[in-house]
Amino acid sequence: MRIKSKFFITSSVILFALLSSCQRERESEAKNQKSPQHMTRARPSNTAHEKPALIPPQEKIAPTVSLSSNEKELHEWRASREAFRIKLFSIPLSTTAARDRADAWERLAIPDNELRSSSEQLQWARMLLDQYADGTKIEKLVFWRLVSYRISSHHPGAVVRTLGDQGSSMTGEKLEEILYSALVRTPSEMPYDQALAEGLRILDQSAK
């Protein structure tokens, strides 16, 4: 009887120990499954420690004024005309010739609403060229260049303003005469294109 009782107690202790051991294993296993060591580790966020990405500031682009092709062409033409005037007026002349140069520039201007120089303008231009037919070389070349530029300086576009005017042909002859007179050459001695280039070269050298 005592042996059975002892056996029963011993069996109970062993069973209890086994049950306790199984319980601990289950708890340990469950704990391990919940443990972050067995989970896929996400890359730690360093948001709090990383500097924010620097975004380059946008360039400040100055607003551009949009011009139509006609307006742009007109603007460039006016700028070119002004550059020509400044260069031509930088050539030293006597007081009288300088005054006549300024007067000629204004009087030979072609209005924007006209296609070419008027008959009165062309007649006045021929008188001016005759007036300086006995002038100095530089005076002849200055008025040759001024008149030729003014009567052929047309508003941007396909129309040449001096086209079809008989007065322009007469003025052209006067311009050729004063050019060869300034160079002390004749058309037979120097072709017109060479005379033209030589006249422009002398004026370029004389301009300040």
Side-chain angles (χ1 to χ4, degrees), residues 12-27:
S12 298
V13 171
I14 293 172
L15 181 60
F16 179 80
L18 289 173
L19 291 174
S20 297
S21 177
C22 290
Q23 180 67 25
R24 283 196 301 271
E25 287 180 3
R26 283 195 298 270
E27 290 176 355

Side-chain angles (χ1 to χ4, degrees), residues 184-196:
V184 196
R185 291 289 190 275
T186 63
S188 60
E189 294 174 329
M190 180 180 285
Y192 181 74
D193 58 341
Q194 293 182 16
L196 177 64

Side-chain angles (χ1 to χ4, degrees), residues 109-135:
I110 302 175
D112 288 342
N113 60 344
E114 297 292 336
L115 293 177
R116 54 183 176 266
S117 300
S118 66
S119 297
E120 291 77 11
Q121 285 178 310
L122 294 174
Q123 183 178 2
W124 187 87
R126 292 192 295 272
M127 290 175 57
L128 178 68
L129 295 175
D130 285 339
Q131 179 182 334
Y132 281 91
D134 296 325

